[in-house]
């Protein structure tokens, strides 16, 4: 064994000896803190007993489940593992998720939290800075509630617009999703709380999520979903990665040697720990060998594989002790790296008012104005009579269901279409009523509300009003996909009836992802407000009345209808299960090679399909124009630039976008987003924006060489407002190059 010497001259061996005798006060010892997280983890592992190690690598639910009570020491959350108090290692208190600190089944009675808007809405801001701020907010609340691991960081690409969890993810583009996920992870971890990224990988649908195998060729996966993870991990350095429920090319994600050992820990040199999803561990030796480090939500698995069975396997040499040490080292290293040991999570006051402002900022900038004929919006504050219809706009804004469900104080629950499924039995409205916020924007108006249940009655009320705002909703949730892209519950008919009664009708959509709009030609204005979180109502009203100039851009393509999708029909959910533990009912696979790496807008371009609204699209109350596209190779970097001008009469924020394609080459590719900027411009002003392109975005993955390869030749550069409107064109020559995987 080599003896490494720390910077202060302590040898690690003497450090471990000190650990054995000293109490956990060692953690606060400044000389120990100067050791690297790797050194500290290694030293602690040396001092741990076999039982202590085993106790860290499997977690039960942190709340009562069936006959199993809440584990002793758990605060009450998704999962818990006892720490090693004698060595100063805190218990793992793990909570969901990206949108805020959850409180499943009210296990911590009355404990509320700030709800960020959906991740899809965050993606619509195209703002790494807001992602970081949101992460800091969630990390602060988690820490102050006693949590040191957040199961945040969902980054699966939207391959299936009907996926019930799209709201937890960041859209269809790997650069956008990876960049934003990385920033929110970094934000959480800056508060001494480990963040996760999940669900690794290709966990693209909820229908049969525990049965499905995602079939896709390596190169296509590397250029799409895996790239999103790779970018998120590089940027955010998450302490843990959670595998998906699904199988990937035949093997469950939690025991997938290719995904974990080869790609994540091999090619990407990932140093954190890999946890399974809840009840998604299927084996002991296969999983341990593939690189799984922690069995999570073990109550749902047929066995606590990583408990007594793992101990026995280590004692019998079937799993090398070094592998167990590696599991534990990875967990401890991540705790040290984010400061979870030196700055342990503990109860503290939370400034909910300040945190709600973070949620508001994301919501205000993530709202996407989809249509605005004849300047229907902004609405005049002088309107005399305003009619608000539908979606419980009198009580709050919609949120998505499942494990990520956050419940701010004053949330209102209504029964969901799944009343017998306690996990998603309720639809939760966050307490930021649009009705109240609209009244506040137009204090002298008579603002009236109708539920929209009887659309003749709603249409009658709408007649003659100065403005009518119909709130339409699509509730989505973990474990269930939506059956199609129609607004449910006859809302299309409601909108048609109201629009016929009053031409000044604005539709505000609250959806997890795209929906069809058969009424689009009949309404002058449409606003996509997603699931808008703790201050959603206020944010929506600010945009409707123009106090905020809308600046959100679609992070996903809105199709005309399902026939445009790579898989027009979905498997009947009745023939599948999404429940862990029931997966043996019938395995099946889903062919993601149809679109391959061409997810979302790339598919539409490749197939020559015209979507309803393209990726990157969104209007403003002002207008922007683009000029002077430049494309240079500087050193080995491709640098692109353009000028953006605000040619309207209001200050506004634009998101100019750069794309590169290489359709002439044999191994070419359709347009890919390679960079963007967000600029706020006063009327008449011009700003030059430029981006340096990540070379992997102009490469193809060569799976024979196990490397990225940039083909030599000419590439098309284009720039503009979205994936379809790119008025600026240029060419640039690149030389052949191989890059590390
Ligand atoms: C979800 C995970 C979540 C876990 C713990 C699972 O159902 O897929 O995203 O973190 O539960 O609540």
């Amino acid at each position: 064994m080599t003896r490494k010497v720390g910077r202060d001259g302590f040898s690690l061996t003497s450090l471990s000896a000190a650990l054995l005798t000293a109490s956990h006060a060692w953690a606060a010892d400044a000389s120990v803190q100067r050791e690297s997280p790797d050194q500290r983890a290694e030293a602690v592992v040396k001092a741990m007993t076999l039982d202590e190690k085993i106790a860290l690598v499997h977690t039960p639910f942190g709340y009562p489940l069936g006959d199993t009570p809440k584990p002793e020491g758990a605060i009450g959350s998704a999962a818990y593992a006892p720490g090693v108090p004698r060595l100063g290692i805190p218990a793992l208190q793990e909570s969901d998720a990206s949108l805020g600190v959850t409180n499943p089944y009210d296990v911590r009675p009355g404990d509320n939290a700030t709800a960020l808007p959906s991740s899809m809405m965050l993606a619509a801001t195209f703002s790494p800075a807001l992602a970081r701020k949101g992460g800091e907010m969630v990390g602060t609340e988690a820490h102050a509630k006693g949590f040191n691991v957040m199961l945040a960081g969902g980054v699966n690409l939207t391959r299936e617009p009907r996926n019930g969890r799209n709201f937890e993810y960041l859209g269809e583009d790997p650069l956008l999703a990876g960049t934003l996920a990385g920033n929110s992870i970094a934000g959480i971890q800056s508060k001494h709380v480990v963040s996760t990224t999940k669900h690794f990988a290709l966990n693209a649908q909820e229908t049969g999520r525990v049965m499905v195998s995602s079939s896709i060729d390596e190169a296509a996966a590397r250029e799409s979903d895996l790239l999103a993870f790779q970018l998120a991990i590089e940027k955010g350095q998450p302490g843990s990665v959670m595998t998906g429920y699904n199988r990937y090319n035949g093997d469950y994600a939690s025991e997938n040697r290719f995904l974990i050992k080869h790609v994540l820990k091999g090619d990407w040199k990932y140093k954190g720990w890999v946890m399974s999803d809840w009840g998604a561990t299927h084996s002991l030796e296969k999983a341990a060998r593939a690189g799984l480090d922690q069995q999570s939500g073990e109550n749902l698995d047929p066995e606590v594989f990583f408990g007594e069975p793992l101990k026995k396997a280590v004692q019998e040499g079937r799993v090398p002790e070094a592998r167990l040490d590696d599991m534990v080292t990875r967990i401890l290293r991540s705790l040290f790296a984010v400061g979870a040991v030196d700055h342990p999570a503990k109860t503290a006051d939370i400034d909910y008012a300040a945190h709600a402002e973070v949620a508001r900022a994301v919501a205000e900038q993530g709202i996407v104005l989809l249509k605005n004929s004849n300047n229907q919006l902004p609405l005049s504050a002088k309107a005399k009579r305003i009619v608000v219809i539908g979606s419980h706009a009198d009580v709050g804004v919609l949120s998505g269901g499942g494990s990520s469900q956050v419940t701010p104080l004053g949330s209102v629950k209504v029964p969901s279409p799944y009343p017998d499924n306690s996990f998603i039995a309720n639809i939760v409205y966050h307490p930021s009523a649009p009705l109240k916020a609209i009244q506040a924007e137009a204090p002298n108006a008579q603002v009236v509300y109708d539920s929209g249940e009887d659309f003749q009655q709603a249409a009658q009320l709408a007649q003659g009003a100065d403005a009518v705002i119909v709130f339409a909703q699509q509730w989505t949730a973990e474990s269930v996909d939506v059956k199609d892209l129609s607004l449910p519950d006859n809302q299309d008919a409601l909108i048609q009836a109201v629009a016929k009664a009053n031409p000044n009708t604005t539709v505000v959509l609250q959806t997890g992802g795209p929906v069809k709009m058969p009424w689009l030609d009949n309404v002058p204005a449409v606003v996509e407000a997603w699931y808008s979180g703790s201050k959603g109502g206020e944010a929506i009203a600010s945009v409707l009345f123009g106090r905020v100039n809308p600046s959100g851009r679609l992070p996903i393509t809105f199709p005309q209808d399902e026939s445009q999708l790579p898989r027009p029909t979905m498997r009947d959910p009745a023939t599948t299960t999404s429940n862990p533990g029931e997966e043996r009912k019938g395995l099946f696979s889903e062919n993601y090679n149809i679109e391959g790496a061409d997810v979302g807008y790339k598919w539409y371009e490749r197939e020559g399909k015209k979507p309803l609204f393209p990726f990157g699209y969104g209007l403003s109350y002002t207008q922007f124009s683009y000029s002077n596209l430049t494309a240079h190779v500087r050193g080995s970097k491709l640098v692109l630039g353009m000028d953006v001008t605000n040619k309207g009469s209001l200050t506004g924020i634009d998101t100019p976008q750069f794309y590169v394609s290489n359709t002439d080459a044999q191994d070419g590719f359709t347009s890919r987003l390679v960079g963007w900027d967000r600029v706020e411009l006063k009327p008449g002003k011009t700003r030059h924006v430029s981006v340096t392109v990540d070379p992997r975005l102009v490469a193809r993955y060569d799976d024979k060489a196990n490397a990225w390869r940039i083909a030599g030749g000419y590439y098309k550069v284009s720039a503009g407002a979205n994936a379809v409107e790119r008025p600026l064109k240029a060419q640039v020559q690149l030389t052949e190059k191989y890059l590390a995987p």
Side-chain angles (χ1 to χ4, degrees):
M1 195 191 84
T2 50
R3 280 165 58 96
K4 292 186 200 144
V5 177
R7 254 177 288 149
D8 291 343
F10 284 111
S11 78
L12 288 179
T13 318
S14 63
L15 190 61
S16 357
L19 287 173
L20 277 169
T21 48
S23 77
H24 63 262
W26 72 274
D29 181 329
S31 61
V32 174
Q33 283 180 24
R34 279 199 296 274
E35 300 286 332
S36 74
D38 303 76
Q39 290 168 318
R40 294 176 74 182
E42 207 181 301
V44 175
V45 171
K46 282 199 184 114
M48 286 170 76
T49 65
L50 181 58
D51 285 330
E52 285 169 341
K53 292 175 192 172
I54 293 289
L56 261 188
V57 298
H58 64 96
T59 59
F61 276 77
Y63 53 80
L65 199 76
D67 298 337
T68 319
K70 183 170 84 163
E72 203 186 317
I75 333 173
S77 67
Y80 169 82
V84 196
R86 74 182 180 92
L87 299 175
I89 301 302
L92 299 186
Q93 305 276 5
E94 303 181 1
S95 170
D96 288 297
S98 304
L99 313 181
V101 181
T102 64
N103 185 3
Y105 306 101
D106 204 25
V107 56
R108 306 184 307 281
D111 186 24
N112 304 109
T114 308
L116 283 176
S118 65
S119 293
M120 187 67 89
M121 186 168 209
L122 172 66
T125 70
F126 275 64
S127 170
L130 281 175
R132 167 89 194 194
K133 269 199 182 154
E136 287 169 0
M137 186 283 277
V138 171
T140 304
E141 290 198 7
H143 196 269
K145 291 174 187 292
F147 295 108
N148 52 14
V149 180
M150 282 304 282
L151 308 167
V155 73
N156 299 77
L157 297 187
T158 307
R159 280 180 182 268
E160 175 45 77
R162 290 158 292 200
N163 178 1
R165 294 189 92 169
N166 284 336
F167 76 94
E168 289 189 60
Y169 304 135
L170 294 147
E172 68 191 22
D173 181 74
L175 178 63
L176 178 64
T179 305
L180 296 195
N183 276 278
S184 66
I185 290 164
I188 290 175
Q189 296 200 154
S190 71
K191 302 299 173 187
H192 311 303
V193 174
V194 168
S195 181
T196 302
T197 186
K198 67 189 187 184
H199 304 91
F200 192 64
L202 272 294
N203 186 178
Q205 65 181 49
E206 294 297 284
T207 300
R209 63 177 175 174
V210 297
M211 298 157 60
V212 64
S213 177
S214 303
S215 295
I216 186 163
D217 293 343
E218 176 177 352
R222 294 263 196 179
E223 291 172 20
S224 56
D225 296 63
L226 294 184
L227 181 57
F229 276 101
Q230 190 172 10
L231 296 171
I233 290 169
E234 285 169 5
K235 176 83 213 161
Q237 305 279 312
S240 66
V241 170
M242 187 192 299
T243 55
Y245 277 121
N246 59 300
R247 293 177 298 138
Y248 173 86
N249 287 341
D251 281 333
Y252 282 109
S254 59
E255 55 187 41
N256 198 296
R257 203 182 163 85
F258 170 77
L259 283 179
I260 307 174
K261 194 167 178 173
H262 180 63
V263 176
L264 179 64
K265 292 183 174 178
D267 291 340
W268 302 349
K269 304 182 174 50
Y270 178 65
K271 287 183 155 192
W273 89 91
V274 178
M275 60 167 75
S276 71
D277 202 338
W278 272 231
T281 305
H282 300 274
S283 63
L284 164 55
E285 285 169 50
K286 183 173 179 186
R289 245 181 276 127
L292 186 71
D293 300 309
Q294 193 177 51
Q295 175 181 9
S296 308
E298 66 195 27
N299 325 42
L300 298 178
D301 286 321
E303 255 186 275
V304 183
F305 298 106
F306 279 34
E308 280 302 310
L310 176 59
K311 182 177 169 188
K312 201 155 174 256
V314 169
Q315 283 164 335
E316 291 170 2
R318 280 179 289 120
V319 172
E321 182 147 15
R323 180 69 262 274
L324 175 62
D325 285 354
D326 177 46
M327 297 173 186
V328 179
T329 307
R330 286 168 172 276
I331 296 169
L332 296 178
R333 184 199 177 274
S334 291
L335 294 177
F336 283 120
V338 304
V341 180
D342 300 331
H343 308 275
K346 57 171 188 283
T347 313
D349 288 344
I350 292 173
D351 187 348
Y352 286 111
H355 288 182
E357 291 309 311
V358 178
R360 181 208 295 268
V362 175
E364 285 182 347
Q365 302 198 27
I367 290 172
V368 184
L369 179 60
L370 293 174
K371 179 173 180 186
N372 194 21
S373 297
N374 314 321
N375 295 326
Q376 173 68 23
L377 297 178
L379 300 174
S380 165
K382 293 196 192 109
K384 292 205 171 56
R385 188 162 163 268
I386 299 174
V387 177
V388 176
I389 298 167
S391 298
H392 303 283
D394 55 337
V395 300
V397 288
L398 186 64
S399 65
S403 63
S404 69
Q405 179 78 66
V406 185
T407 44
L409 185 66
S411 294
V412 175
K413 293 179 183 169
V414 307
S416 84
Y418 306 93
D420 302 332
N421 181 344
S422 65
F423 186 54
I424 51 169
N426 296 304
I427 298 178
V428 177
Y429 289 84
H430 288 158
S432 169
L435 184 67
K436 199 170 149 211
I438 288 166
Q439 179 75 77
E441 294 284 346
N444 300 321
Q446 180 205 16
V447 182
V448 290
Y449 176 74
D450 184 275
S451 74
E453 270 157 50
D454 174 343
F455 39 88
Q456 297 316 334
Q457 181 189 304
Q460 232 166 38
L461 194 68
Q463 265 170 19
D466 298 313
V468 182
I469 307 159
V470 183
F471 284 78
Q473 66 172 26
Q474 175 213 45
W475 178 72
T476 60
E478 177 183 342
S479 77
V480 285
D481 294 324
V482 290
K483 72 176 194 328
D484 56 38
L485 297 177
S486 294
L487 286 168
D489 306 325
N490 266 329
Q491 293 176 95
D492 287 333
L494 168 69
I495 295 168
Q496 299 282 26
V498 173
K500 203 164 164 206
N502 191 319
N504 297 319
T505 294
T506 296
V507 175
V508 176
L509 295 166
Q510 299 185 82
T511 67
V515 287
K516 291 186 284 192
M517 302 180 206
W519 33 261
L520 187 60
D521 289 343
N522 306 332
V523 297
V526 184
V527 170
E528 175 56 81
W530 317 105
Y531 303 152
S532 50
S534 278
K535 284 282 177 186
E538 284 93 328
I540 292 168
S542 305
V543 165
L544 291 176
F545 286 86
R547 233 166 12 85
V548 170
N549 191 350
S551 62
R553 301 289 181 263
L554 291 180
I556 37 165
T557 308
F558 275 45
Q560 306 269 358
D561 58 41
E562 296 85 352
S563 72
Q564 293 190 313
L565 302 177
R567 284 160 295 281
T569 52
M570 281 196 87
R571 191 166 289 261
D572 177 2
T575 65
T576 72
T577 178
S578 62
N579 296 334
E582 294 175 15
E583 49 279 299
R584 289 287 159 200
K585 270 186 185 165
L587 304 177
F588 64 95
S589 65
E590 213 52 83
N591 181 10
Y592 294 117
N593 281 319
I594 297 173
E595 73 279 30
D598 296 328
V599 181
Y601 63 91
K602 295 163 186 158
W603 162 260
Y604 288 77
E605 183 171 314
R606 185 180 99 185
E607 301 295 315
K609 292 176 194 282
K610 188 178 178 300
L612 189 61
F613 294 109
F615 172 86
Y617 171 87
L619 302 173
S620 163
Y621 296 147
T622 187
Q623 296 82 39
F624 300 96
S625 65
Y626 311 97
S627 55
N628 298 332
L629 176 62
T630 53
H632 299 294
V633 179
R634 288 205 195 116
S636 62
K637 298 268 164 67
L638 174 59
V639 181
L640 308 176
M642 70 169 131
D643 292 338
V644 193
T645 302
N646 181 348
K647 59 185 176 99
S649 53
L650 287 171
T651 298
I653 297 174
D654 190 31
T655 305
Q657 300 158 34
F658 296 93
Y659 293 81
V660 171
S661 69
N662 180 15
T663 39
D664 296 336
Q666 214 194 346
D667 55 353
F669 51 85
T670 54
S671 301
R672 296 169 171 177
L673 179 72
V674 295
W676 71 89
D677 203 348
R678 281 181 98 245
V679 281
E680 180 160 20
L681 287 173
K682 295 213 164 72
K685 293 287 177 212
T686 295
R687 176 97 50 88
H688 181 72
V689 298
S690 77
V691 300
T692 301
V693 177
D694 185 317
R696 291 167 293 192
L697 297 172
V698 292
R700 304 245 44 174
Y701 197 82
D702 180 341
D703 52 6
K704 307 262 170 344
N706 201 31
W708 296 95
R709 175 176 172 267
I710 300 176
Y714 284 95
Y715 288 72
K716 290 178 188 140
V717 178
S718 54
N722 58 60
V724 167
E725 292 165 83
R726 288 176 271 143
L728 308 184
K729 313 265 180 220
Q731 265 211 135
V732 69
Q733 191 178 9
L734 301 178
T735 46
E736 190 189 33
K737 196 170 174 187
Y738 283 87
L739 307 158

